[in-house]
Amino acid sequence: MLKVGIVGWRGMVGSVLMERMRAENDFKDLAPVFFSTSQAGQPGPEIGRDLPPVADAYDEKRLGAQEVILSCQGGGYTTKIYPRLRAEGWQGYWIDAASTLRMDADSVIVLDPVNRPVIDQALEKGCQAYIGG
């Protein structure tokens, strides 16, 4: 199962994403770890199976164990955590709703299905940062 860290899942953007992921049964093939900047240790969201307690969103070691990090936490969080993870050698995929990395040469703006060919090319070239439009 793909190890996916989800940060900011309780906010406005994150809650909409969670609702859609539940409706489309997206969690069935994932090993999600939910992270929070303020409620580490609390129970995670209901996704139809047991989950570990919510992890600390600033725990770089735990974040670094994820193959994918999906962040709806906001630009301040991205500015603080993303470069630290990369500096530590993390090679996972970063998927972010914040605009912080939109102009980064190593990221791709996701406007699927509008730019699906661009996304596919980026995947083929090994791009690891996908940023929401």
Side-chain angles (χ1 to χ4, degrees), residues 33-35 52-56 59-66 69:
V33 175
F34 290 89
F35 291 85
V54 172
D56 180 351
D59 182 343
E60 294 172 27
K61 184 175 181 177
R62 188 105 185 253
L63 286 165
Q66 308 307 305
I69 296 173

Side-chain angles (χ1 to χ4, degrees), residues 14-98:
S15 62
V16 171
L17 175 66
M18 289 291 296
E19 189 174 310
R20 184 170 181 175
M21 289 180 76
R22 281 188 204 104
E24 297 189 17
N25 200 24
D26 289 337
F27 291 108
K28 71 176 170 52
D29 296 322
L30 303 179
V33 175
F34 290 89
F35 291 85
S36 174
T37 59
S38 62
Q39 294 188 354
Q42 299 295 315
E46 178 56 50
I47 64 165
R49 66 176 190 260
D50 290 337
L51 293 169
V54 172
D56 180 351
Y58 294 104
D59 182 343
E60 294 172 27
K61 184 175 181 177
R62 188 105 185 253
L63 286 165
Q66 308 307 305
E67 296 168 276
V68 176
I69 296 173
L70 197 161
S71 177
C72 299
Q73 186 62 38
Y77 179 79
T78 298
T79 298
K80 185 172 184 175
I81 293 297
Y82 180 78
R84 290 181 185 178
L85 289 174
R86 291 297 188 210
E88 290 296 320
W90 180 68
Q91 296 295 310
Y93 291 94
W94 182 271
I95 303 169
D96 201 337

Side-chain angles (χ1 to χ4, degrees), residues 108 112-113 115-127 130:
V108 171
D112 187 40
N115 71 336
R116 184 60 199 229
V118 172
I119 296 166
D120 291 340
Q121 287 174 347
L123 283 165
E124 288 174 17
K125 291 179 181 178
C127 179
Y130 295 85

